[in-house]
Amino acid sequence: MIELYGQKFSSRLLLGTALYPSPAVMAEAVKASGAEIVTVSLRRETSGGKAGGQFWSLVQSLGVRVLPNTAGCHSVREAVTTAQMAREVFGTNWIKLEVIGNHDTLQPDVFGLVEAARILASEGFEVFPYTTDDLVVAERLLEAGCRLLMPWCAPIGSARGAQNPDALRSLRGHFPNVPLIVDAGIGRPSHAAAVMELGYDAVLLNTAVAKAGDPVAMAAAFGKAIEAGWGAHCAGLLEPRDMAVPSTPVIGMAALS
């Protein structure tokens, strides 16, 4: 079980709802993945008209927890306003907070992120901040009122997997009691398993499933990979060694002269 802002969930996969070939495929992918939390963009809901309302009804029918996001926001004011609107539309204090600082890499503006997080936390929001793997930024976000962190492992949609596993490992070691959810850059189930083996609590992804040849099958594969990675972490992984170590005992073996 994973606990996020006092709510417990069995699945450690959070799934996005954008980019799928159709809403029906999205719904089947969510079911196949076992995800209990999905992210939804306020921009899609408010700009879709009648279609947006139908999409929201479909999401509600899945029986999952909705995590609205501030995707596409490039300033503190824009992110805070979007979060406030999302609370009205979706009826939740949860918000995935994104304040984008670079158009090419979609890297978070960490200065604006901390400022927006502080404002929203003071207004009663339960903030899921999309951040970098920087320890100092992580500390500032926790001081601002966040109770979990969502570091990237590569640029959004890049499918590269963990680009700096040492930084992710350091972040995990520095905050042993803070829920950490890897967000952005995962392209394969093996990438997800690898970060879960580091001791991360969950993974949030979208593009790797939505743009797969078979999104439903890929969603199921990611669900299994995340479960396997977490299970391996809990079981205790064998650390790499410089020398070979025989798996079969040599003591008591016959000595031939």
Side-chain angles (χ1 to χ4, degrees):
M1 298 290 286
I2 178 174
E3 184 170 333
L4 306 173
Y5 285 108
Q7 301 294 314
K8 294 183 178 181
F9 302 91
S10 298
S11 174
R12 294 177 180 272
L13 170 59
L14 289 71
L15 199 59
T17 57
L19 305 177
Y20 291 86
S22 70
V25 171
M26 178 276 295
E28 289 304 311
V30 172
K31 294 174 185 177
S33 72
E36 297 171 282
I37 301 172
V38 299
T39 61
V40 178
S41 170
L42 174 68
R43 292 173 185 269
R44 172 168 183 168
E45 174 64 18
T46 56
S47 66
K50 183 178 179 180
Q54 293 173 342
F55 176 80
W56 175 225
S57 296
L58 178 61
V59 171
Q60 288 179 305
S61 72
L62 296 173
V64 293
R65 181 68 186 255
V66 172
L67 174 60
N69 64 44
T70 63
C73 293
H74 289 76
S75 70
V76 172
R77 180 177 180 180
E78 187 180 13
V80 169
T81 300
T82 300
Q84 292 167 338
M85 293 173 62
R87 178 157 62 180
E88 293 298 320
V89 171
F90 298 109
T92 178
N93 286 326
W94 278 22
I95 191 72
K96 181 192 172 190
L97 179 60
E98 298 182 28
V99 183
I100 301 302
N102 184 279
H103 290 279
D104 294 326
T105 65
L106 300 181
Q107 180 171 330
D109 171 359
V110 295
F111 305 101
L113 180 67
V114 172
E115 182 180 349
R118 182 173 291 109
I119 294 171
L120 293 174
S122 71
E123 295 182 1
F125 282 91
E126 295 174 322
V127 182
F128 292 64
Y130 164 59
T131 183
T132 65
D133 53 22
D134 186 276
L135 287 175
V136 176
V137 175
E139 290 175 343
R140 297 295 181 270
L141 287 168
L142 295 174
E143 291 169 359
C146 299
R147 289 165 52 190
L148 57 79
L149 301 168
M150 301 183 74
W152 71 348
C153 68
I156 293 173
S158 67
R160 296 178 185 174
Q163 296 297 281
N164 194 345
D166 288 337
L168 292 176
R169 188 178 291 107
S170 178
L171 199 64
R172 176 73 284 176
H174 200 75
F175 302 105
N177 300 315
V178 176
L180 299 180
I181 303 171
V182 167
D183 177 19
I186 286 179
R188 302 181 179 186
S190 58
H191 296 163
V195 296
M196 293 301 291
E197 288 176 357
L198 295 177
Y200 275 70
D201 296 283
V203 168
L204 191 157
L205 53 89
N206 188 168
T207 308
V209 170
K211 303 301 286 185
D214 185 338
V216 177
M218 186 62 75
F222 267 107
K224 294 173 183 175
I226 289 168
E227 183 179 350
W230 177 251
H233 168 74
C234 294
L237 293 161
L238 184 65
E239 293 300 319
R241 299 170 177 173
D242 293 330
M243 301 293 291
V245 178
S247 57
T248 301
V250 296
I251 298 175
M253 292 182 64
L256 302 177
S257 57

